[in-house]
Amino acid sequence: MIKSAALNLLLVGLVLLPPVSLSFAGKGDSPGMVAARARMVASLERTLAEGYGIRDEAVLRAMNRVPRHLFVPAQQQRRAYENIPLPIGFGQTISQPFVVAYMTHIVGIDESSRVLEIGSGSGYQAAVLAEITDEVYTIEIVPQLAQWAEDRLTFAGYVKVKTKQADGYHGWMDKAPFDAIVVTAASPHIPPPLIGQLKDGGRMIIPVGSAYLTQQLVLVEKHGDDIRTRNLLPVRFVPFTRASEP
Amino acid sequence: MTLSSSKYFSEAGTDIALFLLSAVLIASQVVLMQALARSQGYHFAYIVISLALIGFGCSGTVITLGKRWMSRHAGDLLPGFMFMAGLCCLFAFPAALSMVAKSDSNFLFLDWRGWIPLLVGAFFAFLPFFFGALVIGLVFVRDSDLIGRRYGANLLGSASGGGLGILLLFRLPPENIFPLFSCLIAVAVLCIAISVKSTRGSLKFCLCSSILAVLGFGAALITPESAISSYKGISHALLLPEVRITNDEPHPMGRVQIVESPALRYGPGLSLHFRGELPAPPHLYVNGDAYGVMLSPTNEISALLEHSLQNLPLVLANPQRALVINAGAGSFVSHLLSRGIPFVEVIEPHPAVALIVEKFYGSFLQGTILLTHARDGRSFIKASPCRYDLIMLPVQGTFGGGLGVQSLRENYLLTEEAFQAIWNALEAEGFLSVSVYNDQPPRQTLKILSLLVSAMKKQGIEDPSGHIAALRSWEMLTMVASPSPMVDSDRERLAVFAETLGFDRTWIPGKGPALNDSYHVMEDDRLNDGFIAIIGGRDEEFIESYPFMIDVPTDDRPFFHQFLRLNRLPETMKLTGGSALVLMETGSFIVVITVLLLAAVTFFLILAPLLYVEGAAGGKRAPFFVFLYFSSLGLGFMFLEIMWIQRLTLFWGHTLYSAAGVISALLCGMGIGSIAAPRISPSKASLSSILIILLCVVAASHLLLPPLFQASLGLPGYLKWLLGFCVIAVPAFIMGMPFPLALRRVAESHSSLAPWAWGINGFFSVLAPPLAVLAAINCGFAAVGWLALAAYGVALASATSLHVRRAGV
C-alpha cells in the first residue's frame, strides 16, 4: 500500500505566478544565503526521510552546494530558498526544491553517469545534477531561457554542463545513450525518441499528463527491450513545449 | 381600465421595451453560461442563475427602500438605469469573463488569490442583471395601474429570452453577442421614448438610445476575442510553433476550433515499444477543451494504432458492424476504417463536430459504409433497432484522475441505464470496449468496472469473470466485455498482444489478474483488489468499504466523476494528503464554498438593508410564519427549476438547451399563473387549496417525468422540445400563484411586511441552486424533487398562519 504522504500534491509549476523579466541576480554567495540554503536542505532532508523514506546524502550535498538564488530572477532572490516553485519568465518556472531533490534521487545517478535534462529552464536542475556527475546535457526550447540557463550555469561555475537550444522531444541524439533522462516539463505522452536514447539499464523520470491538469511523475526503466514504468507522484508542471523540427 | 387608442399605442412602446429588456436579461444568462463553459470549462449554470437572482433581489431591495423617491424621479432614473444596463452588457460581461479567465479553478483551494478574480468577475456579471431589474421594477412601480400588461410584457420577453440566447449562439460567439444585447436595449430605450409625453424627457431617452446603439455597433465591429483561461488545452496548443487555427465556428453546444501544428502530436494508449514517429494530426477543441484528433486512416496511422491499447477489441474480434458512441473528432473511426470494417456507424452529439467527422472520414472510404449521426448517444441507442458486433465508448477521465470543476458535469453515457441500453444493442458475440485513464488511488477505473458488471448482472450474467478482458498501460486501462464468454483462443490472443507490446493483463477472462505482469507498476495495489472483488461477486461489500464513491452512477445521480464520500472525508484526506484531494474533488468543494459566499452576499445585499432601514423606521419585522412561508416558496421553486434543468439535459441533449428551455417554460407558465392570480381571493382557503393542487401536480410530475422522458427519449427532437416545454409549463402555471396571493394576504394585514416577503424569498431563491446541486451530487435528483415537495409542504403548513394581526386590532 502506498504511503499516504506520497500522494501529497507538489506544486511544481505554479503558473498562477506573474511573469517576470530576466535580469541578472546579484553575484556572490553571502552568509545569509548560505544559511538560508542550509535551512532549506535541512527541511528537505526531513521531508524526504519522513514522508518518503529517502535518505540520499549525495543529493542533499548537491542541493546544499548549488546557489539557487543565482538561478532565479533578481526580484525573486529573497524567496530563492523557500520550498516553492518560482516564475522565471516565458511561462516557465524553476521547480520546487523538493521536486528537484526527489527527481535527482529517483533517477539514481552517480559520478560516472551521463545525464540528459529536457527543459533547462533556469538551469538549476542541471546544476544540481552537475554536482553529482560531470556529464550533464541540457536542452531548452525557449531561446531566451536557453541563453539564460547557459549564462547562469557559467556564472555559477558549472562550465562542464552542455546546453543546447532545441526541441527536447527529440532528445540529444549525438550524445546518446544516456544513463538517465530528467524531464522537467509535462508531456501528454512519453516521447519515443527519449526512450530510444536511454542506455540499457537507464532510467528516465518524466511528468506525464494533460497540460495544466494534475500529472503523474512516472519513472521509466529500460532493460534491453523490456521497458517498465512506475507511477510515483501526482504533480503539476508547466507544459512541454515542442518545436516543429529537431 | 380602458385606454384610448392613442394612449394604447403610446403605452405599447413601454411594453415592447420591457419585452426586449426582459428577453435580453434571460438571453444573457444563457450566453453567459456558454461563455463560462468556454472560459473555464464548465457552464456554472447554477451560479449564473444565482447571480441573476441576486441582481433581481438586490434591485427589489433598492426599489423597496427608495420607492417614493424613485417614483418621483422615474423620468430621470429610467433612462439612466437603461443606459447602465446596456453599458453593462457591453463592458461588464466581457470584463467578468476576462476576470474569470484569470483564475484556475484547480488552484482555488491551494492559493486563495485565485478567488479574487472570480469574485470580481461575479460582481461584474451581477451588474447588468441589477440595472436591468431596476428598470423593470421601476416601471412596475411607476405604472402600477397598468401592472397586468407590463407584467405580461415582462414575462413574454423573459420566456423568449432563452430561445433568443440559443439562436444567437448558433451564429455568433458570446463576445459578439453582448454588444448586440446593448443594441437591443438601445431599441428598448427608443421604444420607451415614444411613451414619454415631454419633449425633454423623450430627448433624454433618445440620447441614451443613440449612445448605446453607437457603442453597441462599434463594439460588435471591433470586439476582441474574449479571454479564455490560460489553463485550457487550446491555450497551450496555441503556444506551439507554426500553429494555426484551420476551422472556427460558434455553436450553442460549444465553439468548435481545429488547431494544427507540426508539434501537436498524438499517441494515447501507445505502447512504449513503439519507435516510429508520432503523427501531428489536426486537433479539435470544443470550448477550448480537447475534443479529439482527426486521424487520416493511412498505413502509418494503422501501425500506430496497432501499438495502442485501444486496439484490444480488434485483437479479440473481427467486427462487421461497429458503432462508435460520442466519437469526438473520430480517432476510433480512423482505427476502424484502417482495419477495413465493412459498416461503421458514428454517433456524435455535437452537430458541428458530427459534420466535420462525416466530411473528413467520408473522403477516406474504401468499401466501408460510414453513417454519421448528429445525435446524443443515449437517444440514438433508444431509437435504433440495430445490433452491433463492436460498440466503442470514448476514453474516459483524465490521466491521474480529477477533472477539477468539470467533475460537476453530468454524464448520461456513464450510468447504469445507459450501460444496459448499450449492452442490449450488442450482438450475442459482440464486444463493448471502453478505455479509461489510470488514476491514483483508483477511482474512475473501478467505477467503470462497477458499471460494466452491474449491466451484465442485470442482463442475467451471474458470473461476469469469463466475459471481461482488461489490459493496462502506464497511461490507461482498456476493458472489453462480451455477452458470450471468452474462450482459450481469446486468452491466447490477449497474452500475445500484452506481451508483445508490454501491457499488463489486469483481467484475463475466466482467470483473473495476471499478478506476474509488472510492466507498469502503480504505487497502489487496490486496482487488482477491486477487480477481484467487483468481478468476483463481492462488489457490494467492496464498493461500500471503499474510501471513494465508486458505486454505479444512475440517471438520477449521473455524476460519474464525483468520488468524494463526505462521511469518509478524514480518511480520504489522510489517504491523499489533503491538497491532492481538493484538486481531485474541486467540484464538490466549489459548490460548498459557493453556498457560503452566496449566503453572505445575499444577506448583505438583500436582507441586511431591509433589516437596517425597517429597524431604523420602527417597522415590523417578519413573523416566523411569514419567514417560513416565503423561504419555503423560494427553495421549493428553485429546487424544482434546477432539478428540471438536470432532468431535461438528457432529454434535450445539452445543459444549455435545458437551462434555456426550462427557464422559458417556467417563466411562461408562471407568468400566466401570476396573471390569473389576481382573479383569486387571497383567502386562507384558496391559498391552501392552490398549494395542495400544486403539491399534487408537482408530486405527479416528479413521479411520472422520469419514466415519461425515458420512454420518449427516441422521439424526434421537435417533439421532445414540445413535450418537455409542456410538462414544465403546466406545473409552472400553478407555481406562479402562491407568491402573489400570499403577498397580497400579508400586505392586506401589514403592508410593511411585503418587502420582507420579497427579500426572504429572494435570499432563499439565490441559495437554492447550489444547494440543489449539492443534494443531487450526494443523494440524486429525485431527492432534490422530494426536497422541493417538502418545501412546498412547509409553505402549505405555514400558509394558514400568514395573516398578521395589526397592533391593537
Side-chain angles (χ1 to χ4, degrees):
Chain A
M1 186 71 71
I2 188 171
K3 288 181 182 180
S4 62
L7 277 172
N8 273 318
L9 177 72
L10 305 169
L11 299 180
V12 183
L14 188 57
V15 281
L16 271 180
L17 295 168
V20 293
S21 61
L22 293 180
S23 58
F24 274 91
K27 282 190 179 186
D29 198 6
S30 67
M33 290 295 183
V34 172
R37 190 159 65 243
R39 283 195 298 275
M40 178 191 81
V41 172
S43 162
L44 286 179
E45 188 176 6
R46 279 195 302 276
T47 309
L48 285 166
E50 290 166 12
Y52 303 87
I54 296 171
R55 292 176 201 284
D56 192 328
E57 287 301 322
V59 170
L60 291 174
R61 205 178 307 120
M63 299 287 290
N64 208 15
R65 282 182 186 159
V66 180
R68 190 175 189 240
H69 66 279
L70 296 185
F71 292 90
V72 299
Q75 61 269 45
Q76 300 290 349
Q77 271 199 348
R78 64 187 175 81
R79 306 189 72 190
Y81 294 105
E82 291 176 30
N83 189 17
I84 53 171
L86 292 168
I88 55 171
F90 306 98
Q92 309 293 311
T93 56
I94 179 171
S95 292
Q96 183 183 359
F98 171 82
V99 175
V100 173
Y102 182 82
M103 290 173 76
T104 309
H105 165 78
I106 289 292
V107 288
I109 56 169
D110 57 31
E111 63 279 1
S112 63
S113 302
R114 177 179 286 194
V115 187
L116 172 66
E117 185 204 16
I118 306 295
S120 316
S122 64
Y124 178 64
Q125 171 78 70
V128 172
L129 293 168
E131 284 289 346
I132 300 173
T133 175
D134 286 341
E135 276 202 277
V136 177
Y137 299 86
T138 180
I139 300 176
E140 171 58 53
I141 190 169
V142 180
Q144 296 90 331
L145 275 180
Q147 188 59 52
W148 157 270
E150 189 177 346
D151 292 346
R152 294 288 79 197
L153 284 163
T154 308
F155 182 78
Y158 298 99
V159 289
K160 289 184 180 173
V161 176
K162 309 290 185 300
T163 60
K164 182 163 94 166
Q165 188 268 311
D167 179 4
Y169 178 86
H170 299 279
W172 197 326
M173 198 58 188
D174 300 345
K175 305 295 178 188
F178 298 96
D179 296 286
I181 298 178
V182 179
V183 183
T184 58
S187 171
H189 39 250
I190 299 173
L194 296 186
I195 296 175
Q197 290 173 28
L198 263 185
K199 201 180 270 184
D200 191 11
R203 303 177 118 202
M204 167 162 62
I205 190 156
I206 177 170
V208 280
S210 305
Y212 305 119
L213 284 174
T214 319
Q215 301 115 20
Q216 287 283 323
L217 209 50
V218 174
L219 175 69
V220 182
E221 293 174 283
K222 182 178 173 184
H223 298 281
D225 288 338
D226 186 21
I227 298 154
R228 295 184 183 247
T229 67
R230 180 179 287 272
N231 289 14
L232 298 172
L233 293 174
V235 290
R236 188 160 169 168
F237 278 77
V238 292
F240 193 96
T241 311
R242 280 168 277 129
S244 54
E245 296 300 329
Chain B
M1 182 172 183
T2 53
L3 295 170
S4 67
S5 167
S6 61
K7 168 83 173 164
Y8 183 89
F9 283 110
S10 68
E11 290 301 335
T14 308
D15 291 336
I16 295 169
L18 273 187
F19 175 90
L20 286 173
L21 184 63
S22 309
V24 163
L25 292 182
I26 298 298
S28 298
Q29 292 181 47
V30 175
V31 176
L32 194 58
M33 285 175 205
Q34 160 61 5
L36 283 172
R38 177 165 156 71
S39 133
Q40 274 292 326
Y42 180 64
H43 49 70
F44 288 106
Y46 71 100
I47 291 181
V48 172
I49 290 171
S50 286
L51 278 175
L53 285 170
I54 294 177
F56 275 80
C58 190
S59 74
T61 303
V62 170
I63 289 173
T64 303
L65 300 179
K67 190 173 174 180
R68 285 182 192 164
W69 183 84
M70 290 175 91
S71 293
R72 279 201 306 274
H73 297 88
D76 293 322
L77 290 174
L78 264 180
F81 289 156
M82 291 192 87
F83 183 72
M84 285 305 293
L87 214 56
C88 286
C89 281
L90 208 55
F91 297 112
F93 281 135
L97 291 172
S98 166
M99 293 308 291
V100 169
K102 289 182 196 298
S103 183
D104 175 5
S105 56
N106 289 316
F107 267 131
L108 288 176
F109 298 98
L110 303 172
D111 184 349
W112 63 269
R113 288 170 299 182
W115 287 96
I116 297 172
L118 275 191
L119 293 175
V120 175
F123 173 72
F124 281 128
F126 148 89
L127 287 174
F129 299 114
F130 172 68
F131 284 111
L134 268 181
V135 174
I136 294 170
L138 198 53
V139 170
F140 284 175
V141 168
R142 188 195 67 177
D143 300 346
S144 54
D145 54 333
L146 298 168
I147 191 68
R149 58 184 288 171
R150 295 285 186 257
Y151 197 43
N154 164 236
L155 289 167
L156 277 175
S158 301
S160 315
L164 174 70
I166 295 285
L167 282 176
L168 288 170
L169 283 169
F170 268 110
R171 306 296 307 169
L172 297 165
E175 60 266 25
N176 291 109
I177 296 177
F178 294 129
L180 286 186
F181 286 157
S182 178
C183 293
L184 278 176
I185 293 177
V187 175
V189 177
L190 204 60
C191 290
I192 283 202
I194 298 168
S195 60
V196 175
K197 295 178 186 74
S198 73
T199 313
R200 190 167 160 268
S202 187
L203 275 176
K204 270 188 228 167
F205 281 97
C206 288
L207 182 65
C208 289
S209 173
S210 310
I211 297 172
L212 273 182
V214 169
L215 288 175
F217 277 115
L221 292 176
I222 57 164
T223 297
E225 183 153 344
S226 70
I228 182 169
S229 168
S230 58
Y231 307 103
K232 284 218 150 197
I234 199 167
S235 301
H236 170 226
L238 292 176
L239 294 174
L240 293 171
E242 297 175 50
V243 69
R244 60 200 175 99
I245 296 174
T246 55
N247 189 45
D248 189 345
E249 52 185 300
H251 195 280
M253 286 175 71
R255 181 171 171 186
V256 180
Q257 288 168 297
I258 297 175
V259 178
E260 291 187 50
S261 162
L264 207 51
R265 296 186 178 88
Y266 177 73
L270 202 58
S271 161
L272 294 179
H273 290 257
F274 181 76
R275 289 289 177 275
E277 183 68 21
L278 293 185
H283 280 54
L284 196 144
Y285 293 85
V286 172
N287 273 341
D289 293 318
Y291 204 72
V293 300
M294 297 154 67
L295 279 179
S296 314
T298 58
N299 290 338
E300 291 76 23
I301 294 296
S302 181
L304 174 92
L305 294 174
E306 281 169 10
H307 280 78
S308 164
L309 198 56
Q310 293 163 28
N311 192 39
L312 176 59
L314 297 178
V315 168
L316 297 177
N318 184 22
Q320 300 299 301
R321 195 179 179 94
L323 174 69
V324 183
I325 300 181
N326 289 8
S331 56
F332 285 171
V333 180
S334 172
H335 204 158
L336 297 170
L337 293 183
S338 69
R339 291 290 296 268
I341 310 297
F343 185 90
V344 178
E345 210 155 354
V346 178
I347 314 301
E348 169 47 45
H350 197 304
V353 176
L355 199 62
I356 290 169
V357 167
E358 187 175 27
K359 277 186 190 164
F360 182 78
Y361 293 100
S363 61
F364 295 104
L365 298 182
Q366 287 181 337
T368 296
I369 297 170
L370 178 70
L371 290 182
T372 308
H373 305 271
R375 196 166 182 186
D376 170 63
R378 286 290 298 276
S379 61
F380 175 83
I381 290 274
K382 181 80 182 171
S384 172
C386 297
R387 294 287 176 273
Y388 302 90
D389 301 316
L390 173 63
I391 298 181
M392 298 186 86
L393 297 184
V395 183
Q396 301 296 335
T398 54
F399 184 66
L403 274 183
V405 75
Q406 291 196 56
S407 61
L408 287 174
R409 182 172 289 181
E410 315 84 27
N411 188 334
Y412 286 100
L413 192 62
L414 300 180
T415 67
E416 187 174 38
E417 294 86 346
F419 265 52
Q420 283 186 47
I422 291 167
W423 194 264
N424 282 330
L426 276 177
E427 291 284 6
E429 303 283 326
F431 283 94
L432 168 64
S433 169
V434 57
S435 296
V436 56
Y437 286 106
N438 292 328
D439 53 351
Q440 279 187 267
R443 304 179 306 287
Q444 51 200 26
T445 38
L446 292 178
K447 211 170 194 173
I448 286 273
L449 180 69
S450 302
L451 264 171
L452 204 54
V453 168
S454 161
M456 293 167 92
K457 287 190 171 171
K458 286 269 165 60
Q459 298 297 321
I461 298 173
E462 285 306 316
D463 180 12
S465 168
H467 297 255
I468 294 178
L471 288 186
R472 187 170 58 81
S473 71
W474 63 269
E475 182 186 19
M476 65 173 67
L477 183 140
T478 295
M479 279 181 262
V480 291
S482 172
S484 300
M486 292 180 216
V487 294
D488 281 342
S489 58
D490 294 322
R491 280 186 279 271
E492 280 164 25
R493 282 198 291 270
L494 186 76
V496 171
F497 181 62
E499 196 173 332
T500 311
L501 297 180
F503 297 133
D504 291 330
R505 285 169 295 171
T506 305
W507 194 263
I508 303 169
K511 293 194 181 299
L515 295 172
N516 290 331
D517 286 3
S518 56
Y519 294 107
H520 308 290
V521 178
M522 296 176 81
E523 294 289 306
D524 194 316
D525 49 12
R526 274 172 290 203
L527 185 68
N528 281 344
D529 295 346
F531 262 74
I532 292 168
I534 293 169
I535 298 178
R538 290 186 293 110
D539 47 340
E540 284 180 21
E541 184 192 331
F542 182 83
I543 289 168
E544 183 58 36
S545 64
Y546 203 67
F548 294 94
M549 199 191 291
I550 54 165
D551 51 341
V552 178
T554 60
D555 280 355
D556 185 49
R557 210 175 55 166
F559 300 98
F560 179 86
H561 293 286
Q562 284 292 332
F563 300 101
L564 188 68
R565 284 182 194 271
L566 288 175
N567 58 346
R568 307 280 293 271
L569 195 57
E571 188 186 345
T572 42
M573 290 286 278
K574 195 177 168 191
L575 191 68
T576 58
S579 57
L581 184 68
V582 291
L583 200 64
M584 292 171 185
E585 303 287 349
T586 312
S588 305
F589 289 110
I590 281 192
V591 179
V592 173
I593 298 282
T594 306
V595 171
L596 298 175
L597 283 174
L598 285 176
V601 169
T602 316
F603 177 80
F604 283 110
L605 288 182
I606 298 177
L607 285 185
L610 288 169
L611 264 172
Y612 176 74
V613 177
E614 292 292 313
K620 190 175 179 61
R621 289 188 186 171
F624 178 66
F625 285 108
V626 173
F627 176 87
L628 208 57
Y629 181 87
F630 286 99
S631 59
S632 306
L633 278 192
L635 286 172
F637 173 79
M638 290 311 298
F639 280 167
L640 281 178
E641 178 173 336
I642 296 297
M643 184 196 73
W644 280 331
I645 287 176
Q646 307 291 357
R647 285 234 186 277
L648 283 151
T649 296
L650 170 63
F651 196 58
W652 282 341
H654 196 272
T655 308
L656 208 65
Y657 294 159
S658 168
V662 168
I663 291 171
S664 291
L666 268 175
L667 289 169
C668 193
M670 280 186 64
I672 300 169
S674 302
I675 291 167
R679 298 168 206 274
I680 300 168
S681 152
S683 67
K684 189 192 295 183
S686 54
L687 192 57
S688 300
S689 306
I690 283 171
L691 280 164
I692 290 169
I693 296 169
L694 177 59
L695 277 169
C696 294
V697 171
V698 170
S701 74
H702 183 47
L703 292 172
L704 298 176
L705 285 191
L708 177 71
F709 287 159
Q710 189 67 27
S712 330
L713 198 55
L715 288 177
Y718 69 94
L719 280 180
K720 289 202 285 187
W721 270 103
L722 194 64
L723 182 66
F725 195 90
C726 290
V727 296
I728 302 296
V730 170
F733 170 74
I734 305 165
M735 285 162 70
M737 295 183 186
F739 183 81
L741 278 179
L743 203 61
R744 270 165 59 202
R745 186 167 166 74
V746 167
E748 273 177 11
S749 55
H750 201 300
S751 62
S752 70
L753 286 180
W756 281 106
W758 172 281
I760 291 163
N761 186 264
F763 179 80
F764 283 93
S765 300
V766 170
L767 283 191
L771 284 174
V773 172
L774 207 56
I777 287 171
N778 291 291
C779 308
F781 290 120
V784 178
W786 293 121
L787 282 175
L789 273 171
Y792 278 118
V794 171
L796 173 64
S798 51
T800 51
S801 308
L802 269 184
H803 190 77
V804 184
R805 290 182 185 281
R806 289 170 191 276
V809 176

